[in-house]
Amino acid sequence: MSDKTLNDRRLTWIKTGVFLLALLPSIKLAIGACTEGLGANPIEKITRVTGYWTLTLLLITLAATPLRLLFGWYWPVRIRRMLGLFAFFYGSLHFLTYLVLDQFFDWAAIAADIVKRPYITVGFPSFMLMIPLALTSTDRMVKRLGGKHWRWLHRLIYPIAIGGVVHYAWLVKKDLTNPLAFGALLVLLFGIRLLYRFRSYRKHKRKSSGLPCQTKNVTYR
Amino acid sequence: MRTYNTPPIPASEITPKALFLARRKFMQTLGSGALGALMPAALWAGEKLADVKKSAYTVPEELTPYKAVTGYNNFYEFGTGKEDPAANAGSLKTRPWTVAVEGEVHKPAVFDIDQILKMASLEERIYRMRCVEAWSMVVPWVGFSLAELIKRVEPTGNAKFVEFISLHDPEQMPGQRSSVLNWPYKEGLRMDEAMHPLTLLTVGLYGEVLPNQNGAPVRIVVPWKYGYKSAKSIVKIRFLETQPVSSWTEANPSEYGFYSNVNPEADNFRWSQAKERRIGDFFKRPTLLFNGYADEVAPLYAGMDLKKYY
């Protein structure tokens, strides 16, 4: 798809399609909950599914920039805000499932978990860090913060995604297949960014012929 | 005076006609002669076990539904998901099946599964089952005390431990194609634990032949320990002088010790063990020391530091 010429109508179609697709797992969970279709341990199932989609959507959000760098696609960047908000949506469901269904507001047990269970020690702040990103996702907030500050703040998605993968890896008892797959994808996405950053750095160096390089105006998010 | 007695047959014991006819058809298609003779008295998963006595070992708690007991469990030989065993265990062949008993015994033996089924009278025992992942069930198992089998092989004075070895056959157990654990699955007990009357050599649940996904045709159930201590689909029992290394201990020695007694005070890296969710419940319940069997088994560990010997 030559999306440099992507018109608004096509983008609307893509947006609607992705919106419905991203909503689907939560609809399936809701139907399962109403029809006793979540198996013998529904709370565990809901926790797993919402956690899986939080991480998946975080990685998809992080794929927008690499897709632009590699293929010159701009449409993923244009739906990135929605993807990030869906990651937050599933993250919130995941967190609320833990808080309400799993622990039922047992604050002492929750505090003990945060201190003593390493996967929660890293998972809890990872979710908390998503909150400021969701709150500053509007156009108005971008303007208010200014592009530079806003971009700086939204780089929090890197530690959030790393935290999410570590959270998953520390949770599983033995079978690390899925956490490692998420981890490998994350490394790939970071690797593409770093590669392009390095290349642009060299280009700049050549252009500016020995002068201190100026990469600060170039943003590769 | 009545000259005969009609034995009281409950309606539930009478085979429905359709099933009865289907069985006949099945036997006929097998061919009346040779093939039929090869499989005379084999019991298959789901079939009712005869002459099962109710045991005094029971708990005053609601049974976990059959569907959950047979549809949600860990049995890594068939995959690491808890719905994998039910989905994949169909490939397990439970006949012919033998259990070799060897090591520090005066009478080593290879028992056929049908011998084991007749070794002692079968009892239904309702036990709590506590998984290390902080969920639990209440299961009506069928079997007899492992001690019955142990007595028959006459352990020597050197026998201090018993090791259970599960089937290793990636053809039948697709989960073994992955090296998630070091196959075959191995578990062990101290001799006094193995001889304890609660330790059940298990061949059934809910009055039926053990379903494949629950460890058919024969498994151990040790109700005061975390679920992974109860080895499934056993093919070998070895009596040893030194403590064997269990599969989970081998995989992660700091998290899964040899004893693995249910203990709400001793947390695991991943799970607080203070509470558990009974499958089917919304609220968690406190976990009991030795899974509620402290009266029976606490003396086995008198003077031992349970946090050190986890």
Side-chain angles (χ1 to χ4, degrees), chain A residues 97-140:
Chain A
T97 306
Y98 170 76
L99 180 72
V100 183
L101 300 182
D102 191 38
Q103 297 289 6
F104 198 69
F105 308 106
D106 184 343
W107 303 110
I110 292 168
D113 266 359
I114 294 172
V115 177
K116 284 157 99 183
R117 309 272 84 77
Y119 79 96
I120 293 176
T121 313
V122 63
F124 180 74
S126 299
F127 170 70
M128 287 299 156
L129 287 178
M130 288 174 89
I131 298 173
L133 302 199
L135 291 178
T136 58
S137 64
T138 58
D139 288 339
R140 252 181 76 187

Side-chain angles (χ1 to χ4, degrees), chain A residues 44 106 117 170 172-173 175, chain B residues 72 80 133 256 270 275:
Chain A
E44 187 214 20
D106 184 343
R117 309 272 84 77
W170 278 347
V172 299
K173 201 154 74 174
D175 186 3
Chain B
Y72 183 89
T80 54
E133 297 163 8
Y256 309 104
R270 277 155 249 272
K275 288 182 176 183

Side-chain angles (χ1 to χ4, degrees), chain B residues 136-153:
Chain B
S136 64
M137 295 184 173
V138 176
V139 185
W141 301 107
V142 178
F144 52 84
S145 289
L146 174 66
E148 294 285 345
L149 182 142
I150 295 179
K151 278 182 224 155
R152 281 168 174 77
V153 294

Side-chain angles (χ1 to χ4, degrees), chain A residues 58-78:
Chain A
L58 271 174
L59 290 188
I60 294 176
T61 308
L62 278 169
T65 296
L67 287 175
R68 191 199 73 209
L69 293 173
L70 287 175
F71 307 113
W73 297 353
Y74 280 82
W75 62 268
V77 179
R78 295 179 70 183

Side-chain angles (χ1 to χ4, degrees), chain B residues 112-267:
Chain B
D112 189 88
I113 184 63
D114 292 307
Q115 272 175 288
I116 292 173
L117 283 162
K118 287 180 215 124
M119 194 172 274
S121 56
L122 297 179
E123 298 170 32
E124 178 171 89
R125 297 197 185 175
I126 298 169
Y127 281 166
R128 297 181 197 93
M129 206 294 296
R130 172 64 156 76
C131 178
V132 73
E133 297 163 8
W135 53 268
S136 64
M137 295 184 173
V138 176
V139 185
W141 301 107
V142 178
F144 52 84
S145 289
L146 174 66
E148 294 285 345
L149 182 142
I150 295 179
K151 278 182 224 155
R152 281 168 174 77
V153 294
E154 297 177 16
T156 70
N158 290 333
K160 303 279 193 302
F161 295 92
V162 189
E163 186 182 37
F164 307 97
I165 299 165
S166 301
L167 179 69
H168 184 199
D169 183 355
E171 289 289 308
Q172 296 183 55
M173 297 178 144
Q176 290 179 335
R177 288 167 212 165
S178 135
S179 55
V180 60
L181 289 171
N182 186 11
W183 310 112
Y185 194 87
K186 295 174 288 298
E187 255 310 338
L189 294 172
R190 215 169 56 188
M191 199 61 188
D192 57 346
E193 296 175 327
M195 286 296 290
H196 194 282
L198 273 173
T199 302
L200 193 70
L201 192 71
T202 306
V203 296
L205 60 79
Y206 267 102
E208 295 177 355
V209 171
L210 205 57
N212 288 0
Q213 62 267 35
N214 294 89
V218 59
R219 65 173 293 174
I220 298 294
V221 173
V222 194
W224 70 93
K225 293 175 182 281
Y226 294 117
Y228 56 86
K229 288 298 291 181
S230 297
K232 305 184 189 83
S233 302
I234 294 168
V235 292
K236 193 180 280 187
I237 300 176
R238 297 205 296 165
F239 289 77
L240 305 168
E241 196 171 359
T242 51
Q243 183 174 301
V245 180
S246 311
S247 288
W248 276 104
T249 309
E250 195 182 356
N252 198 339
S254 66
E255 283 183 59
Y256 309 104
F258 177 77
Y259 286 94
S260 292
N261 292 316
V262 175
N263 184 350
E265 303 282 314
D267 282 354

Side-chain angles (χ1 to χ4, degrees), chain A residues 54 57-58 60-62 76 79-91 130 133-134 137 154 157:
Chain A
T54 308
L57 283 157
L58 271 174
I60 294 176
T61 308
L62 278 169
I79 63 167
R80 180 169 55 187
R81 167 163 52 193
M82 188 177 79
L83 292 166
L85 283 170
F86 263 115
F88 179 68
F89 170 66
Y90 282 101
M130 288 174 89
L133 302 199
S137 64
H154 279 250
I157 192 174

Side-chain angles (χ1 to χ4, degrees), chain B residues 37-57:
Chain B
L38 278 174
M39 37 191 332
L43 286 164
W44 302 98
E47 234 172 274
K48 276 263 178 260
L49 286 162
D51 304 321
V52 178
K53 294 185 305 184
K54 295 266 181 237
S55 147
Y57 288 113

